[in-house]
Amino acid sequence: MTVNLEIDGEIAIVTIENPPVNALSGVVREHLLALADALDGDPNVRAVVLTGAGKLFVAGADIAEFDRPPEPPFLPDVVARIEAAAKPWIAAIRGAALGGGLEVALGCRFRVATAGARFALPEINLGIIQGAGGTQRLPRIVGVAEAIRIVAENHSPNGKEALRLGLVDALVDEPLVPGAVAFAQAVVGQALPPASRERVVSAPAANVWTEAEARITAGARGAAAPPQALQALKHGIEHGVEAGLALERSTFLALRATEEAAALRHLFFAERAALRPGDLRALSPRPIETVGVVGGGTMGSGIAAALLNAGLSVVLIEQDEASVLRARSILAGLYESSRRRGLMSDEVASGWMARLETIIGYGAAGRCDLVIEAVFEELAVKRSVFAELGRVCRPDTILATNTSYIDPRLIADGLPGPERFLGLHFFSPAQVMKLLEIVPTPDTAPDVLATGYDLARRLGKVPVRSGICDGFIGNRILRRYRAEAEALVCGGVDIAAVDAAMRAFGFAMGPFEMQDMAGLDIAYLYREAARARGMPVPDMPGDLLVRAGRKGQKTGGGWYDYAAGDRRPKTSMDAQRIVAPLVGAKKEMAGEAIVSRLMATMAEEGHAILTEGIALAAADIDLVEVHGYGFPRKRGGPMFQAGRLGKT
Ligand code: 3H9
């Protein structure tokens, strides 16, 4: 059943039961419409309680339907029908009332909720705006300023705040439905408040609009939806609810059909699927409370911060006093900046430093449930770490390497209990970047792998499983991307033109600006090592720059010049002179052509990665690029891009 009906005396109880999240699929909309008619015609019913089965009210429209043209009955009509019902509908909300779910609740004459309920209109995260009256009814209930925050800025009040805002009429304790029925019984004899759309709202001072426009446009960073959601809201305040509803709906339909919205939907489903791989669903992860981190450099400290932010205890293992002091000072800085930016709750913040232990040597590793190695990227160094860990740790302690390139099988060679070993590849800064590449070896036990995913969930990361290859999924694609960008330069395309094209596509930086920031030397040393092993790696322009001492921003120049203390790239005649021996005649290339060439290269490498079984799904590759390498979210990822091109 998708919508259930029960009768309790004079009160009808309508329960949306559409697992997992009570989304408003076509059949739910049909049932709601039919019930609104039937209950209006039932003389024994005086009010209707509308609720959701399970942990939440309704998570919104069924996003999976958005890849098809809208099908009747349309949600705005369902909301309007409930609002026009002869008897009052009372939304009874526990858990989340999101998007279309909140819009349906706004169509009800009353709303009651538990204190922990959560209200949001998150449509803008999907590249769309509200499509069933949210931009119009909400300001008429909570006022314009609060509605702007919810409609266009992702503000998400809980039950208590919703009560204060007037969004809910009463808080109800669990069990919710009897409480809501009692509320309904109390209101049936009384005069009803006006329907949401009929309520009078005062227009705000002019500066409310101008300030909101400036704030929302800046925060949207080029995304279409947030400013358009604001415009729909404003239109309804200035021209009346009918005009507002019409603009809202046409904007919703137009945005729903965009590539950007399709890309964001693709990522929405990919991100959720990533956390729960089918083959691990039946497995219980091992309990993890105390995590050892070996190495307190930038990466190790970032990993420690991510663990502490998630409420875990950390034992940070270093070699000497100076390194311990340095790690503590990095971590104190990370703590301060997370606090300042409001990234952790007071509860997490209060225990943060107390949950951090920094020690010299491996003694305390025996207390750890998991140890993550984050030392220098050299096989011998890593092996010596695991030799110590193998000696000191409990046999059930999970041991992980954060290597970005080295074959984990070589690192684990000789480790007692190889089934507890895996790669957990974090991205720098590890307390910020969402990607976690999980790299099992052939020996890794399934429950150890499941624990890696569970850890990712607890840290708020996006886990992607990678098979073993040089650079795993992300760095392997990065290498191809950079090489192709350099090939463009060798073909005579201007360095700055390549960067500008990728920025216009949505990257925060082009490939050369990015190399300058990260440093050119690591990739250079990697190529030099391959050459030393006798591999035929031809010279690239980047090699010439490094040999000339231009390693990027840290040396004052790489592909570009940088003035002291200024990170803005300036065209470098020096760099152009140095790479000239490898560069052909100057060639003009349109930005779009540059983008499609680099996209094609990334997708080609992605296809190879899939064919070799290194990635399990094309969407996983997109997640790696979006969450680890700055690929613009609104573009969905290289595999998504390739799929769209294939369709046209
Ligand atoms: C909208 O409402 C437009 C309207 O204004 C106008 C319309 C005309 N649809 O996240 P989870 C699936 S736009 C379809 O892992 P949690 C999800 O894919 C919508 N499926 O659980 C997953 O599937 P699977 C505005 C959905 O407990 C499963 O449910 N609403 C939807 O961590 C469990 O999800 C939103 O943007 C959906 N709407 O979090 C809300 N939502 O098991 C989006 C979820 O196969 N949803 N699924 O992997 C959320 O924020 C979270 O899912 C929620 C639960 C908080 C509800």
Side-chain angles (χ1 to χ4, degrees):
M1 224 15 206
T2 50
V3 182
N4 303 319
L5 174 64
E6 275 172 82
I7 303 290
D8 180 353
E10 295 178 322
I11 312 299
I13 302 160
V14 173
T15 306
I16 299 174
E17 186 174 1
N18 186 21
V21 294
N22 298 332
L24 297 161
S25 321
V27 52
V28 172
R29 301 195 300 273
E30 272 168 27
H31 275 95
L32 286 175
L33 214 46
L35 275 172
D37 286 342
L39 293 171
D40 263 3
D42 185 338
N44 298 319
V45 168
R46 297 189 66 198
V48 182
V49 166
L50 173 66
T51 193
K55 285 190 302 206
L56 49 66
F57 179 68
V58 169
D62 184 346
I63 299 168
E65 288 182 353
F66 287 1
D67 285 326
R68 307 191 295 270
E71 278 168 25
F74 304 119
L75 192 59
D77 300 334
V78 176
V79 176
R81 179 65 190 83
I82 290 173
E83 191 169 45
K87 297 152 191 187
W89 282 53
I90 296 122
I93 299 163
R94 82 161 62 78
L98 307 179
L102 178 51
E103 292 176 302
V104 168
L106 286 165
C108 293
R109 202 57 67 105
F110 299 97
R111 285 153 296 283
V112 298
T114 59
R118 191 165 72 81
F119 301 83
L121 291 172
E123 283 86 345
I124 53 171
N125 303 331
L126 293 165
I128 55 174
I129 73 163
Q130 297 71 23
T135 64
Q136 304 306 309
R137 290 187 179 86
L138 188 64
R140 287 169 171 79
I141 300 281
V142 302
V144 169
E146 290 296 341
I148 288 174
R149 294 175 68 209
I150 297 171
V151 161
E153 297 182 276
N154 269 326
H155 179 57
S156 170
N158 63 14
K160 276 191 193 153
E161 187 186 348
L163 180 69
R164 190 171 55 71
L165 296 177
L167 178 54
V168 302
D169 300 285
L171 290 186
V172 176
D173 290 329
E174 290 285 5
L176 173 68
V177 171
V181 168
F183 180 93
Q185 281 159 345
V187 296
V188 279
Q190 300 173 9
L192 293 179
S196 309
R197 55 173 287 158
E198 309 293 344
R199 298 208 191 166
V200 178
V201 55
S202 34
N207 68 319
V208 169
W209 296 124
T210 44
E211 282 167 20
E213 268 155 14
R215 201 173 62 233
I216 288 164
T217 307
R221 292 206 220 100
Q228 296 201 33
L230 177 67
Q231 281 318 311
L233 194 159
K234 184 179 179 195
H235 196 72
I237 300 298
E238 292 180 342
H239 302 279
V241 72
E242 274 313 321
L245 286 171
L247 179 64
E248 178 199 81
R249 185 71 182 166
S250 61
T251 308
F252 163 78
L253 290 173
L255 289 176
R256 184 186 185 276
T258 58
E259 280 295 298
E260 181 170 331
L264 294 170
R265 285 199 292 280
H266 162 70
L267 292 173
F268 174 88
F269 286 115
E271 282 157 2
R272 276 156 179 86
L275 283 163
R276 284 192 298 271
D279 59 337
L280 302 179
R281 279 190 190 187
L283 294 169
S284 303
R286 296 190 187 176
I288 302 287
E289 285 315 319
T290 303
V291 183
V293 177
V294 185
T298 310
M299 187 46 109
S301 296
I303 295 172
L307 295 161
L308 291 163
N309 286 349
L312 291 152
S313 296
V314 171
V315 174
L316 195 133
I317 297 167
E318 260 299 356
Q319 308 190 55
D320 51 45
E321 190 61 31
S323 311
V324 163
L325 287 176
R326 194 194 45 176
R328 283 203 87 90
S329 119
I330 298 177
L331 278 157
L334 295 178
Y335 171 75
E336 279 312 320
S337 86
S338 293
R339 280 231 73 171
R340 244 196 339 270
R341 288 154 61 210
L343 296 181
M344 57 174 104
S345 66
D346 288 346
E347 196 191 336
V348 168
S350 68
W352 210 88
M353 277 301 193
R355 283 184 280 105
L356 169 66
E357 196 184 331
T358 41
I359 56 158
I360 299 168
Y362 290 86
R367 285 191 276 116
C368 297
D369 308 308
L370 160 71
V371 181
I372 303 169
E373 163 277 308
V375 302
F376 192 62
E377 190 73 356
E378 202 177 285
L379 180 59
V381 181
K382 289 188 185 287
R383 285 185 61 134
S384 68
V385 169
F386 284 98
E388 289 290 344
L389 293 175
R391 211 168 43 74
V392 178
C393 291
R394 298 191 314 257
D396 64 331
T397 297
I398 296 178
L399 302 178
T401 174
N402 178 53
T403 183
S404 22
Y405 283 102
I406 304 172
D407 186 334
R409 288 168 299 196
L410 300 177
I411 298 174
D413 191 26
L415 183 73
E419 72 288 342
R420 61 185 166 148
F421 178 89
L422 81 173
L424 291 178
H425 183 205
F426 290 81
F427 288 73
S428 192
Q431 75 283 9
V432 175
M433 298 297 282
K434 290 248 178 215
L435 178 62
L436 181 66
E437 277 182 331
I438 300 189
V439 191
T441 72
D443 291 325
T444 304
D447 71 323
V448 169
L449 187 55
T451 311
Y453 278 86
D454 190 53
L455 180 76
R457 183 189 56 74
R458 290 170 73 183
L459 301 188
K461 305 271 181 224
V462 176
V464 173
R465 195 180 321 181
S466 172
I468 298 172
C469 67
D470 199 8
F472 310 125
I473 298 173
N475 281 338
R476 184 166 153 179
I477 295 181
L478 178 65
R479 195 176 310 131
R480 274 293 301 278
Y481 171 64
R482 282 182 175 171
E484 192 65 12
E486 292 197 36
L488 284 171
V489 168
C490 292
V493 181
D494 188 35
I495 296 165
V498 176
D499 281 338
M502 299 319 283
R503 261 189 279 105
F505 182 71
F507 280 90
M509 270 179 257
F512 300 114
E513 292 157 344
M514 192 172 75
Q515 284 189 54
D516 274 0
M517 194 190 69
L520 278 66
D521 41 336
I522 294 178
Y524 166 75
L525 290 174
Y526 178 86
R527 288 192 293 271
E528 284 290 276
R531 288 173 189 128
R533 290 197 303 273
M535 289 172 71
V537 182
D539 264 359
M540 295 168 69
D543 297 330
L544 305 189
L545 291 172
V546 175
R547 285 183 199 131
R550 298 183 66 95
K551 297 181 187 171
Q553 286 184 20
K554 60 186 171 186
T555 58
W559 292 96
Y560 298 95
D561 288 336
Y562 298 85
D566 187 352
R567 287 162 173 260
R568 280 171 306 176
K570 314 243 175 349
T571 301
S572 169
M573 301 319 285
D574 264 0
Q576 290 183 7
R577 181 182 45 75
I578 291 164
V579 300
L582 295 178
V583 170
K586 192 168 171 52
K587 179 174 162 189
E588 294 298 331
M589 195 167 181
E592 277 146 39
I594 294 172
V595 169
S596 44
R597 174 107 167 245
L598 292 179
M599 279 305 115
T601 303
M602 291 173 103
E604 192 181 285
E605 193 66 22
H607 281 302
I609 283 170
L610 266 181
T611 313
E612 293 166 31
I614 299 296
L616 300 180
D620 280 355
I621 296 174
D622 289 339
L623 291 178
V624 165
E625 290 303 312
V626 167
H627 290 293
Y629 294 84
F631 196 100
R633 194 173 170 81
K634 64 179 182 182
R635 303 286 188 179
M639 308 309 280
F640 175 82
Q641 287 289 320
R644 304 302 276 193
L645 287 177
K647 277 184 196 166
T648 52

